[in-house]
Amino acid sequence: MTRWIDLEGAVNARDLGGLPTRDGGRTRRGQIFRADNLQGLTPADVELLVGELRLRHVVDLRSNAEVSLEGPGPLTRVPEVRHHHLTLFAEGGLHTDVEADTIDGERVLPWAERVLDEELRVTGFYFGYLRDRPDAVVAALRAMALRDGASLVHCAAGKDRTGVLSALALELAGATREAIVEDYVATGERLELILKRLRGSDTYRGDLDSRPADDHLPRARYIEQFLGVLDDRFGGPLGWLAQNGWTDEDTAAMRARLRE
């Protein structure tokens, strides 16, 4: 059964359910979704998400600039849906997360320079989300775990910021590392559609056009390296979260949310 959610106004929406867990189970469907920008949702999309899928919480990881330039989106006008705007504030491009300009907060890169160690570049700005806005990361995961209806986490492309939060949620739920990587790279199946859609916006076009399309592809080694850094430095994602206010009760809530 496909995990994709077919919408008219977004192209990278899918369910975090249906993935294998370390104890032989599966993550629960219909609880947490992930997506790209929701600005173009149609009335039919809203009806599907809010009516059929019971969406009640939207976690918006876009920056303040993105929300200001693009607008808050049609779901903000739906009274049943609660919005949690939690910018990760670590975008490398002017308004989005399609390019990184730091490695672990220290080395500044020329805008157009190709970095030979691509894993280091990507891991650097993924870890930057955690370094710069640990409060937002923890708050986003808590919002995703709320039980009164489904939740959805999104950014612009639904690739980097959303990919990191989805990976952390799946880790907390006990998904296998292979499943977490599978979910991360699945965005590549929709990459052409994502880039076409974002290039239609003045907000994102400059960032996107600054690099070849292939450079935006989510590769397995990026998320593997990111999780490996957390393993090495903190004993795993849960170790980092625990150092930043995450509790056993929070973990129990996420597992109750995403476990069958």
Side-chain angles (χ1 to χ4, degrees):
M1 183 182 298
T2 181
R3 296 191 300 119
W4 292 105
I5 302 169
D6 291 325
L7 301 170
E8 296 172 353
V11 297
N12 192 22
R14 60 185 180 274
D15 197 327
L16 292 188
L19 293 170
T21 56
R22 294 187 292 271
D23 62 359
R26 293 268 170 180
T27 54
R28 183 181 298 166
R29 291 182 180 272
Q31 302 299 305
I32 300 180
F33 311 126
R34 56 176 292 174
D36 49 333
N37 203 342
L38 303 179
Q39 297 309 112
L41 293 184
T42 66
D45 293 335
V46 173
E47 174 58 31
L48 172 63
L49 291 169
V50 179
E52 184 174 333
L53 299 179
R54 296 192 67 249
L55 179 65
R56 295 297 181 268
H57 295 274
V58 171
V59 180
D60 185 350
L61 303 177
R62 295 177 301 163
S63 68
N64 293 323
E66 287 172 276
V67 175
S68 176
L69 290 165
E70 293 288 292
L75 284 173
T76 59
R77 299 189 291 271
V78 178
E80 299 96 320
V81 178
R82 179 181 171 190
H83 277 73
H84 310 260
H85 180 220
L86 295 160
T87 175
L88 300 186
F89 222 60
E91 303 87 344
L94 187 60
H95 302 304
T96 185
D97 57 2
V98 297
E99 168 63 286
D101 58 9
T102 65
I103 292 180
D104 214 12
E106 296 175 356
R107 179 181 172 190
V108 178
L109 303 176
W111 177 253
E113 180 182 336
R114 294 296 301 273
V115 182
L116 295 179
D117 192 340
E118 193 74 359
E119 291 97 324
L120 180 59
R121 180 183 73 84
V122 175
T123 299
F125 77 91
Y126 282 6
F127 192 74
Y129 303 154
L130 277 59
R131 180 195 64 237
D132 296 340
R133 290 300 307 272
D135 56 333
V137 171
V138 169
L141 288 168
R142 285 176 174 155
M144 292 163 68
L146 292 170
R147 297 295 300 275
D148 55 329
S151 59
L152 182 152
V153 59
H154 81 97
C155 52
K159 176 172 70 76
D160 295 315
R161 291 169 286 186
T162 298
V164 167
L165 266 295
S166 297
L168 293 175
L170 289 169
E171 176 81 16
L172 289 166
T176 66
R177 284 289 171 90
E178 293 80 6
I180 294 171
V181 173
E182 173 192 328
D183 178 68
Y184 173 78
V185 300
T187 289
E189 300 175 29
R190 302 289 178 95
L191 186 63
E192 184 176 347
L193 294 172
I194 294 166
L195 296 180
K196 179 180 179 181
R197 184 164 178 257
L198 291 178
R199 282 193 175 99
S201 166
D202 291 340
T203 305
Y204 303 114
R205 188 180 304 113
D207 278 348
L208 291 168
D209 289 346
S210 69
R211 295 176 69 89
D214 187 62
D215 282 4
H216 301 298
L217 190 68
R219 293 174 168 84
R221 63 182 186 270
Y222 299 163
I223 199 69
E224 290 169 346
Q225 177 76 5
F226 168 72
L227 294 170
V229 169
L230 294 182
D231 290 341
D232 293 343
R233 297 186 184 182
F234 304 99
L238 186 57
W240 179 87
L241 286 164
Q243 289 188 22
N244 288 278
W246 188 260
T247 66
D248 291 343
E249 290 76 14
D250 290 325
T251 298
M254 184 63 79
R255 288 179 177 170
R257 174 72 142 156
L258 264 182
R259 293 297 296 271
E260 289 185 343

